[in-house]
């Protein structure tokens, strides 16, 4: 490829740092082969022998000296060469460009990214990986996303269009918009335009006001975040603050002005404004703690490490003269993964004669441990970071998802009923026009009738339901018996009353996520919780605390134990396992302001184990990236250098550490992990599998501890190979894991097995029993092993004492000769010794067996679950949803969400998911109702959920009381509002039919406005306070909830019942008013409308089961308001007639005819077929 000559740039006369010119392809190979290259008669420093060809190649690619002409080039891909320059002509003139400093860059050309095998040019896709030099030019920085926070949904131009679209995509609002617009057509105008425009405008203005207010609040939050001030490091110049302590010059800039390549100085408790590579910290170890609760919801502090080379610099000021660049992979969502490299091209020097502190060039790998993600908070000290991602490319923004809006089943049912009512309205209009013989402009008459009957679909229905939801949410959050409960999705309270499947996490949800070390097994001896003092004694002996204490405690040892091992041998074994547990972890002791020490770690299991080692005498007193200090029972201190750490991941299921004891220099590789992976790594033994199963059956979480001693030579070999793999840009993680597996994870000495107990949540047993009695089928989905999950299922009473448990677990079948056939094999426990199932027919047989045992509990692991879903999805879900309980183990977060979706899709029933950790978020969002618990694992699940509680037992009150009431009340409220619109439309139809099918309005103007608001709204809305039983009975008899889940409160049957009631009452009122017709038409309006209002007030009273004081007030106040309004509406009411006796008795007769028969029917029905709740009153 031909060279692309670029404009040369100047270098500071006082410094040797700067970007050196790249070599050509030929010279690159020459350089690698010879170990040096000549350019302008300057010799480069030879690379260290520990850096392999891969590292050298990466380094050379970013930094090579070119022999020949005095010009500097960047080697670009052909497409970039062609697109950026278009020819081979360059610029030979030299000029100073970019920011002032020793290593300025050409402003007219972007420095090329380090070429990576993963780069794709097909289709012209833009590669977002980047190589960012220190002190980049402004033109280079401008190519990346601005660092602005923008959570606003609208701007001045998009607000109205988006809000209108969101409102009118619903059938309700679109229907009323069309009705309102029709009033601007003279031929269709009926009554006041305001009576049609006002209700819709009110709903729209309330919605728009709420949206505008919410968006304004978002704007203020964005403005606050964008204007937060941060200090960036810059060379001394205009606008920089002179440091008092000799540190670097800084300049204060708002967060929105931060750009890629800036050096940011962070102080304690300051929010990280962008994704930064950590370069230096105020701690001498080069580490710092960050709080990530706003990113991943976890409350534990995380330890981050600075780039090793930058830690070695004399001061922060040296960063400004460092000739280096950082390569970063394209931005992705994963906050646990980062692939990058840190390359030093020239060291900071005070004069041209200084010797560089580090070999040049040097390439160091960057991982997620070197990153400070945006929206995390620096927990202690100060730090300096290098910006690599800003704005929309930060992990925080990329992980900000907008989950799909959940719509309750009740809302969908009412929407379907509204469509039926619309069809009824249209049919009724056509019938009236047809009965008139389609005379004249019949199509105009059809539209006029549609407008007259528009009250059949009342716009107040949605207003009433939304207001009702607000009341329910307020009642839930203000309930003193479930403190801390938060309603995050106010549109779903009714869904809580219709749950038929509950999918629950185990750890932290059914259990407290408070760990306690309960058991230590070492093959020949096992120590329980009561005998931990013996472990402490053996540890004292091993560390030389004297033989007196040893003899004093000898009686605690059994003869069988001493027969197989000598005293000193047993003590040394205890010492090995306890010392390994005290070293192999990621726990850091942190001193609080009050002098106390707390342990910080990402897992409560590890904290529990370190607290246990402290209780037996071996205390962790200091920990940083390079050193661990322990205090022995005798008070002595042990110091270990940390050489390498291999953190725990969900894929590896293990963590390891390499330490060197400072006194002896002995190097040891320690590893602990799950039994399923450790069993293949440790030396062959005959007890691990059996004891792991025994501990799991006791409900303990197990960890296998092992170690391997290493020579200095073997460690150096491993370190070189591991470093080579760590600087790869493609397949880095796989290469590093392969080196660890080959060099370290072979024939480890098995030290012991720990059992940690996770305590059950308060009242879990009674809660699960009550939910089962309410007809809710409970599934437990966990990532734990089958034995532990089964034990927890039994201890929580999810499984009855004598209930049959059917286990299906994936195993590798050693009997299969054909390779890969084991993938379709799993072991079933329906026989004494288990049965190997090899074919799809075998799986079908298992499903048929389950079909015949629907009262059993199915315990299945993740792989078997996936196998069943792949082969027989519908059959498996159909059978599993009929079982009384299902426990799914070793489930990934994706599997949990898939199970929730499958149950919803197959059963069409309401599914509730409850969890407490970040791994439960996908399941919670996939459910109809998601409940998050604020627990030890943080608030991520709580923030993503529709409802947030502080413990599992609060689910009882939430479902049995609040959920049941919300659904009953909303169903009754919706049907009554529909009845209120239907009855007046029936009266209009009867009136039009009698008066020659004329499309003339019976009630106009203020009467129609008042009917839906002042005259009936308060009594009807008071139904949201109705209840059929008191709280104690609802919790005592969960079977009441079971009746409600059948959906009989709001169904087509109840809808048509109310339709018949409306038809009868509307006809009765209108016909009786016409029979009692006086001399003037005005009297018909006053008589019929008064009878209508009184009828509605009586109907509300008949629907109330248990009276509330607000209901009484609403009824009385509404009646008084109506009486007073008559005085101010003389165009509708003849006051002299209204106060006459004739008016009173005629209205009384009409109301009696319309309402009394319904009272009689309801009374008879309550005696013949009483409701279940009425039997308890």
């Amino acid at each position: 490829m031909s060279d692309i000559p670029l404009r040369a740039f100047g270098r500071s006369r006082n410094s040797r740092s700067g970007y050196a010119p790249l070599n050509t392809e030929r010279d690159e190979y020459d350089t690698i082969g010879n170990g040096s290259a000549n350019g302008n008669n300057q010799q480069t420093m030879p690379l260290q022998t520990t850096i392999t060809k891969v590292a050298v190649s990466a380094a050379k690619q970013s930094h090579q000296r070119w022999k020949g002409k005095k010009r500097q080039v960047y080697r670009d891909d052909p497409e970039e060469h062609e697109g950026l320059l278009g020819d081979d002509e360059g610029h030979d003139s030299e000029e100073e460009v970019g920011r002032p400093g020793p290593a300025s860059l050409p402003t007219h050309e972007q420095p090329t990214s380090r070429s990576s095998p993963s780069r794709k040019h097909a289709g012209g896709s833009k590669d977002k990986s980047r190589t960012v030099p220190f002190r980049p030019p402004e033109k280079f920085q401008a190519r990346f996303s601005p660092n602005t926070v923008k959570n606003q949904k609208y701007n001045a131009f998009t607000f109205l269009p988006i809000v209108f679209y969101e409102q009118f995509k619903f059938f309700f609002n679109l229907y009323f918009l069309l009705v309102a617009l029709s009033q601007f057509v003279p031929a269709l105008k009926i009554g006041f335009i305001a009576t049609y425009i006002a209700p819709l405008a009110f709903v729209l203005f309330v919605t728009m006001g709420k949206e505008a207010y919410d968006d304004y609040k978002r704007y203020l939050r964005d403005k606050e975040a964008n204007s937060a001030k941060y200090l960036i490091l810059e060379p001394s110049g205009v606008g920089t603050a002179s440091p008092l302590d000799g540190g670097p010059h800084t300049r204060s800039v708002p967060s929105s002005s931060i750009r890629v390549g800036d050096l940011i100085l962070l102080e304690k408790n300051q929010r990280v404004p962008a994704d930064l590579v950590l370069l230096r910290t105020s701690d001498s170890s080069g580490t710092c703690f960050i709080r990530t609760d706003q990113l991943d919801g976890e409350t534990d502090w995380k330890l981050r490490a600075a780039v090793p080379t930058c830690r070695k610099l004399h001061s922060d000021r040296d960063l400004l003269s460092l000739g280096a660049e950082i390569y970063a992979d394209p931005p992705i969502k994963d906050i646990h993964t980062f692939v990058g490299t840190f390359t030093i091209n020239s060291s900071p020097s005070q004069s041209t004669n200084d010797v560089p502190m580090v070999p040049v060039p040097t390439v160091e790998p960057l991982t997620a441990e070197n990153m400070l993600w945006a929206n995390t908070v620096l927990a202690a000290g100060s730090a300096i970071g290098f910006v690599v991602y800003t704005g929309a490319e930060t992990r925080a923004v990329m992980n900000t998802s907008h989950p799909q809006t959940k719509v309750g089943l009740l809302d969908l049912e009412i929407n379907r009923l509204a469509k039926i009512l619309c069809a009824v309205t249209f049919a009724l209009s056509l019938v009236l026009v047809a009965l008139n013989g389609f005379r004249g402009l019949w199509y105009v008459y059809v539209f006029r009738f549609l407008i007259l009957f528009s009250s059949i679909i009342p716009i107040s229905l949605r207003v009433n339901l939304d207001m009702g939801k607000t009341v329910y949410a307020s009642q839930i959050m203000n309930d003193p018996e479930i403190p801390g409960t938060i309603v995050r999705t106010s549109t779903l309270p009714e869904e809580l009353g219709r749950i038929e499947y509950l999918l629950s996490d185990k750890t932290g949800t059914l259990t407290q996520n408070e760990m306690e070390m309960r058991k230590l097994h070492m093959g020949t001896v096992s120590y329980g919780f009561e005998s931990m003092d013996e472990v402490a004694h053996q540890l004292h002996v091993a560390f030389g605390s004297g033989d007196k204490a040893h003899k004093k405690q000898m009686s605690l040892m059994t003869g069988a134990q001493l027969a197989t091992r000598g005293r000193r041998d047993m003590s040394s074994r205890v010492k090995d396992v306890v010392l390994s547990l005290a070293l192999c972890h990621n726990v850091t002791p942190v001193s609080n302001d009050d002098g106390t020490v707390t342990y910080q770690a990402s897992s409560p299991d590890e904290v529990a184990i370190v607290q246990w080692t402290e209780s037996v005498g071996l205390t962790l007193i200091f920990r940083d990236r390079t050193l661990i200090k322990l205090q022995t029972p005798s008070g002595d201190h042990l110091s270990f250098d940390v050489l390498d750490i291999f953190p725990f991941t969900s894929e590896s299921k293990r963590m390891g550490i390499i330490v060197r004891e400072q006194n002896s220099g002995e190097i040891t590789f320690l590893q602990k992990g799950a039994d399923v992976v450790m069993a293949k790594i440790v030396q062959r033994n005959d007890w691990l599998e059996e004891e792991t199963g025994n501990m799991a059956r006791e409900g303990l979480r197990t960890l296998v501890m092992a170690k391997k001693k290493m020579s200095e030579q073997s460690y150096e070999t491993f370190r070189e190979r591991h470093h080579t793999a760590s600087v790869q840009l493609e397949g880095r993680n796989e290469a590093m894991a392969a080196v660890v597996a080959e060099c370290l994870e072979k024939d480890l000495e098995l030290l012991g097995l720990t059992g940690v107990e996770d305590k059950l949540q308060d009242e879990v047993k009674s809660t699960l029993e009550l939910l089962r009695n309410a007809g809710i089928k409970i599934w437990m989905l966990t990532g734990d092993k089958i034995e532990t999950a089964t034990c927890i299922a039994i201890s929580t009473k999810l499984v009855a004492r004598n209930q049959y448990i059917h286990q299906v677990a994936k195993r590798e079948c050693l009997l299969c000769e054909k390779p890969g056939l084991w993938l379709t094999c799993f072991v079933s426990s329906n026989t004494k010794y288990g049965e190997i199932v090899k074919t799809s027919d075998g799986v079908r047989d298992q499903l048929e067996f389950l079909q015949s045992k629907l009262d059993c509990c199915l315990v299945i692991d993740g792989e078997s679950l996936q196998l069943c879903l792949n082969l027989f999805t519908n059959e498996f879900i159909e059978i599993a949803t009929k079982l009384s309980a299902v426990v799914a183990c070793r489930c990934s977060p994706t599997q949990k969400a898939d199970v929730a979706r499958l149950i919803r899709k197959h059963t069409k029933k309401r599914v509730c998911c409850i969890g407490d950790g970040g791994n439960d978020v996908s399941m919670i969002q996939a459910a109809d109702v998601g409940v998050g618990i604020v627990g030890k694992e943080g608030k991520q699940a709580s923030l993503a959920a529709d409802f947030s509680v502080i413990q599992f037992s609060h689910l009882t009150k939430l479902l049995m009381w609040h959920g049941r009431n919300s659904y009953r009340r909303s169903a009754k409220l919706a049907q009554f509002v529909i009845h209120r619109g239907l009855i007046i439309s029936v009266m209009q139809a009867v009136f039009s039919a009698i008066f020659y099918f004329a499309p003339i309005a019976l009630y106009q103007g203020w009467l129609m406005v008042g009917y839906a608001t002042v005259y009936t709204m308060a009594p009807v809305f008071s139904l949201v306070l109705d209840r059929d039983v008191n709280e104690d009975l609802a919790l005592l008899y969960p079977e009441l909830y079971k009746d409600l889940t059948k959906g009989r409160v709001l169904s087509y049957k109840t809808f048509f019942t109310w339709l018949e009631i409306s038809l009868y009452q509307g006809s009765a009122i209108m016909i009786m008013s016409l029979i009692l017709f006086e001399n003037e038409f005005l009297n018909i309006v006053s008589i019929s409308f008064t009878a209508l209002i009184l009828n509605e007030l009586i109907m509300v009273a008949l629907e109330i089961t248990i009276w509330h004081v607000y209901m009484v007030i609403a009824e009385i106040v509404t009646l008084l308001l109506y009486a007073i309004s008559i005085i101010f509406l003389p165009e509708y009411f003849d006051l002299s007639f209204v106060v006459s006796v004739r008016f009173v008795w005629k209205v009384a007769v009409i109301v009696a005819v319309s309402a009394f028969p319904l009272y009689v029917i309801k009374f008879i029905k309550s005696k013949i077929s009483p409701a279940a709740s009425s039997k308890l009153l």
Side-chain angles (χ1 to χ4, degrees), residues 1097 1113-1126:
L1097 294 178
I1113 294 173
E1115 292 268 324
I1116 296 173
V1117 170
T1118 299
L1119 190 59
L1120 291 175
L1121 284 174
Y1122 177 69
I1124 294 171
S1125 67
I1126 291 176

Side-chain angles (χ1 to χ4, degrees), residues 1010-1030:
Y1011 177 70
T1013 54
V1014 181
Y1015 298 150
T1016 58
M1017 186 171 180
V1020 172
F1021 186 70
S1022 69
L1023 290 173
V1024 299
L1025 301 174
D1026 187 31
R1027 53 191 175 93
D1028 57 345
V1029 294
N1030 59 36

Side-chain angles (χ1 to χ4, degrees), residues 515-517 539 577-590 597-601 603-623 628-631 655 672 703 754 756:
M515 309 298 177
E516 187 175 29
M517 180 85 162
L539 204 62
V577 68
V578 176
L579 185 61
S580 299
L581 290 171
L583 291 171
C584 186
H585 52 72
N586 65 354
V587 180
T588 303
V590 177
V597 176
T598 57
Y599 294 123
Q600 291 290 343
S603 170
D605 297 62
E606 296 208 312
V607 173
I609 290 175
V610 172
Q611 287 174 339
W612 174 80
T613 63
E614 180 183 5
S615 70
V616 296
L618 197 58
T619 306
L620 175 68
I621 58 175
F622 178 80
R623 166 72 183 268
I628 295 178
K629 288 184 179 179
L630 303 175
Q631 181 175 303
M655 80 153 290
K672 67 179 180 185
L703 280 174
T754 63
V756 177

Side-chain angles (χ1 to χ4, degrees), residues 74 83 85 151 215 221 276 298 304 331 495 498 681 698 751 817 853 873 883 920 1014 1076 1159:
Y74 281 93
L85 300 177
N151 293 310
D215 210 48
R221 287 194 294 269
L276 313 177
E298 297 185 8
R304 292 292 181 263
E495 296 297 283
R498 311 184 71 173
I681 297 174
E698 296 177 28
L751 297 178
E817 296 180 358
K853 297 273 294 181
T873 305
L883 298 174
D920 301 317
V1014 181
L1076 300 174
Y1159 171 77

Side-chain angles (χ1 to χ4, degrees), residues 390-405:
T390 52
E393 295 179 337
T394 59
R395 295 294 200 271
V397 175
M398 295 183 74
N399 279 284
T400 302
S401 59
H402 300 284
Q404 186 177 1
T405 303

Side-chain angles (χ1 to χ4, degrees), residues 892-1067:
S892 66
T894 306
Q895 278 183 317
K896 291 182 178 182
D898 289 343
V899 169
R901 293 189 190 98
L902 281 171
I903 296 176
R904 289 178 59 191
K905 180 180 178 181
H906 179 80
T907 64
K908 307 298 182 186
K909 305 293 185 183
R910 299 289 94 181
V911 176
C912 174
C913 292
I914 181 170
D916 73 314
N919 60 329
D920 301 317
V921 169
S922 56
M923 174 181 72
I924 286 171
Q925 293 183 338
D928 294 298
V929 178
V931 180
I933 294 180
V934 180
K936 297 285 183 181
E937 295 186 31
K939 296 183 179 180
Q940 193 172 5
S942 167
L943 295 172
D946 304 306
F947 299 89
S948 172
V949 296
I950 59 175
Q951 65 184 56
F952 184 81
S953 60
H954 288 178
L955 207 58
T956 303
K957 186 80 177 288
L958 197 63
L959 299 184
M960 300 296 111
W961 177 244
H962 291 293
R964 185 174 181 275
N965 283 341
S966 299
Y967 175 48
R968 284 190 67 261
R969 291 165 176 173
S970 283
K972 184 178 288 187
L973 177 64
Q975 292 178 119
F976 206 95
V977 173
I978 291 174
H979 158 74
R980 187 178 64 184
L982 274 171
I983 189 171
I984 198 169
S985 297
V986 170
M987 292 174 65
Q988 175 66 57
V990 173
F991 176 79
S992 296
I994 292 175
F995 286 93
Y996 309 104
F997 305 103
I1000 301 173
L1002 173 60
Y1003 305 122
Q1004 297 183 7
W1006 293 113
L1007 291 185
M1008 289 301 295
V1009 174
Y1011 177 70
T1013 54
V1014 181
Y1015 298 150
T1016 58
M1017 186 171 180
V1020 172
F1021 186 70
S1022 69
L1023 290 173
V1024 299
L1025 301 174
D1026 187 31
R1027 53 191 175 93
D1028 57 345
V1029 294
N1030 59 36
E1031 182 180 329
D1032 294 334
L1033 287 176
L1035 299 177
L1036 188 60
Y1037 298 99
E1039 293 79 10
L1040 293 173
Y1041 186 89
K1042 188 175 183 179
D1043 288 339
L1044 210 64
T1045 57
K1046 297 173 183 177
R1048 294 172 180 169
V1049 180
L1050 178 62
S1051 62
Y1052 287 117
K1053 179 182 177 181
T1054 58
F1055 170 71
F1056 285 109
T1057 300
W1058 278 103
L1059 187 62
E1060 292 168 4
I1061 291 173
S1062 303
L1063 189 62
Y1064 166 73
Q1065 290 189 328
S1067 302

Side-chain angles (χ1 to χ4, degrees), residues 228-232 239-241 250-254:
K229 296 294 184 181
Y230 290 89
L231 295 177
I232 64 172
T240 59
T250 59
R251 181 164 61 92
S252 178
V253 298

Side-chain angles (χ1 to χ4, degrees), residues 1130-1142:
E1131 63 271 28
Y1132 304 109
F1133 299 97
D1134 182 356
L1135 196 57
S1136 60
F1137 175 70
V1138 169
V1139 297
S1140 66
V1141 177
R1142 297 192 317 257

